[in-house]
Amino acid sequence: MPTTSPSARSKKCKFVYDAESKARRTASLILTIDFLELITSCRGTCRFCKLISKALTHLLPDWRRQRKRFCLELEDGKSIMLSIGPRKVQDSFVYEIYVPAGTRPPWSAISSTTVDVAKHSGADKCFDFIQQHSKCRASHNSECPSRLIDVSKDREPRLCSPATGGVQYVALSHCWGKGPLLRTHSGNLGKSSSGIAWEALPQLFQDAITITRRLGVRYLWIDSLCIIQDSKRDWEIESAKMSGIYEGSFVTIAATTYVSHVEYQNTRGKSTTVKVRKVIPHHPNACEKLPAQPQGAPMRRAWVLQEHVLCSRSSFRCECHPRPTKLSSQISIQRVQKVWQTLVAQYTLRRLTFPADKLPAFSGIAGKFADALRSEYVAGLWKENLVEELLWSSQPHLESALSASRLSEYRAPSFSWASVDTQIAYQEMSEEERSQLTPCLAIIKVSSHPSGANMHGEVSSGHLKVCGPLVDAVMVATQAKAQTYSLRRPGLKSVEVFPDSLLVAECRDDTQSDQTRVRRGKAGEVFGPIRCVVECLAVASQSHEWTYGLVLTRSWEQSGCHERLGFFTCANEWFQGAPKQELEIV
């Protein structure tokens, strides 16, 4: 650890140089400090250590209870880098401490420029590259948004409706969160068309406008401002255009992290706002020419998946994507179906602020695949490949279906993955195995009914009528080593169930039958013992060795219909001699 003479330190912290003194400057300094030592130092008068302590509290609220060491990298004219763990970004938590642009730094060891950001999206060469890159410079404005924000430099930003298509615009991809957010509604639409005061805009929106202007682009699209938020009709129309909006943008700005701030006070009592942010490792080794690997909270957000897939390029680094409409001409229908299932599985790993957005937030991708698959879309599934589309399930390597949030309102028919918030996966099959997949049931009729203007968005109902082998089994829920569900039939080996969500048994007194039925759990319900008869439907068999099936229950809500509870695989003998029956799943 570097040391200084007692006279140079003069009652300053033993861990750092006198960073406030203009008379003493050091080119660079790397310090390794123990959390416990920092706590002890904060009891003294060192304002620098107190600032670091405040920063850590914003980033890691429980840091005082940990016994770790952290590294500080200080260099004149640059921001302070604070790392916990190995200095390699991908292996550690790395944070940057800096002051806002245009603010005078409180000492020479901290800068008003965020150097690490400048190496990536904020670098001059990044802007130059976006403007000059010929391979992706031309955007495809097949579906211009109904509204854009005019960010011309000579006036306040204002909401406008482009007179013609083909205008160049930038799109912002961001996470709304649950806090207050500036948005357009019927009451302020006229005022926003006249102008939006700069100080009324959140910092993120200000940054997006600054970037758009620097790129020399006149228009910016932000969903919360360009869609009338209290108009369901307008929201449905615009959400149906998402594929064209992101595909047609000149570039998409992706906001992947937040910035916190702390107050620093110098010896004269003057305060300065110091900002702190986590450094997100979006980029692998540039020498390997690998694509960007965006990370951060928005990458766990459901809406962002289609924004990332559909945009022609984003400002993580140039990520040129071929137009999705070329899928059918480039690869086989089977490969397109596989890509679809992969995207669905990735999508279910992500979170939604509003549960009703499950299908709308994926509708842009669905619209592009509709052209490639040439099939009818049924609440997240494709009619022409419906037997294989039904083979989705929860998996042991994913988040437990029992802990997934449960819906309070109808969102999709139970045979669709969109009916639950469970993380799901499709059955992994090689091309050979897929070719040997034999349907066990016949699809008689399937349909869903969109509830609005977006044909790939919210649905009000859905029905699937099939004819296939159906047998009764006893579902047993046990909690010996883990909370599990299994199926039992006399003389046969029990079979594990991959539940769609938490399952509970219910007996209703107001029905003609006193039989107990299993159903999907509701919010607030917990795992409990079950021993109840359910019905098992064979969907497809694999090479005459095993069968994929669905666990069904008779619906309490729609008489004569069934609802899906889960998925299972079993030996073919389970359905040996089983009669085929017609049934309707809702």
Side-chain angles (χ1 to χ4, degrees), residues 24 141 161 168 199 256 260 269 284 325 390-391 407 430 440 470 492 504 510 532:
R24 185 173 190 82
N141 292 75
S161 298
Q168 197 173 70
E199 56 272 15
T256 60
S260 186
T325 50
L390 292 172
L391 305 182
L407 302 179
S430 65
C440 296
L470 191 70
L492 296 172
V504 299
D510 58 349
C532 186

Side-chain angles (χ1 to χ4, degrees), residues 56-82:
L56 282 171
T57 300
H58 275 267
L59 302 166
L60 301 169
D62 64 340
W63 72 271
R64 294 175 182 272
R65 294 194 296 270
Q66 301 182 30
R67 291 295 176 262
K68 294 183 179 180
R69 300 177 71 83
F70 66 94
C71 179
L72 282 179
E73 298 181 34
L74 300 90
E75 187 173 353
D76 283 342
K78 294 186 178 180
S79 50
I80 297 174
M81 305 304 295
L82 186 157

Side-chain angles (χ1 to χ4, degrees), residues 275-295:
K275 296 197 173 185
V276 186
R277 74 174 189 98
K278 183 177 181 180
V279 178
I280 305 296
H282 301 307
H283 303 280
N285 190 333
C287 298
E288 297 177 6
K289 297 183 178 180
L290 297 174
Q293 299 171 349
Q295 300 181 30

Side-chain angles (χ1 to χ4, degrees), residues 6-74:
S7 60
R9 268 198 299 250
S10 185
K11 298 182 181 180
K12 297 297 179 180
C13 173
K14 68 177 182 178
F15 300 120
V16 295
Y17 285 106
D18 181 6
E20 293 174 327
S21 174
K22 296 180 180 179
R24 185 173 190 82
R25 291 177 181 267
T26 179
S28 62
L29 183 64
I30 298 178
L31 299 167
T32 301
I33 305 174
D34 185 88
F35 278 176
L36 184 58
E37 293 175 324
L38 179 63
I39 293 172
T40 303
S41 178
C42 286
R43 294 170 185 157
T45 60
C46 181
R47 286 175 295 277
F48 184 90
C49 281
K50 289 181 179 179
L51 173 65
I52 299 300
S53 173
K54 285 184 178 180
L56 282 171
T57 300
H58 275 267
L59 302 166
L60 301 169
D62 64 340
W63 72 271
R64 294 175 182 272
R65 294 194 296 270
Q66 301 182 30
R67 291 295 176 262
K68 294 183 179 180
R69 300 177 71 83
F70 66 94
C71 179
L72 282 179
E73 298 181 34
L74 300 90

Side-chain angles (χ1 to χ4, degrees), residues 149-151 155-159 192 195-196 198 201 209 213:
I149 305 166
D150 187 339
V151 298
R155 60 179 301 170
E156 284 184 333
R158 66 182 183 90
L159 201 61
S192 297
I196 305 172
W198 181 260
L201 293 165
I209 291 173
R213 288 171 172 173

Side-chain angles (χ1 to χ4, degrees), residues 349-378:
L349 302 179
R350 302 182 176 221
R351 300 167 185 165
L352 284 164
T353 303
F354 305 104
D357 289 350
K358 191 78 169 185
L359 287 170
F362 205 61
S363 62
I365 292 176
K368 289 301 179 185
F369 274 81
D371 297 335
L373 292 171
R374 300 187 292 276
S375 177
E376 182 181 342
Y377 189 64
V378 184

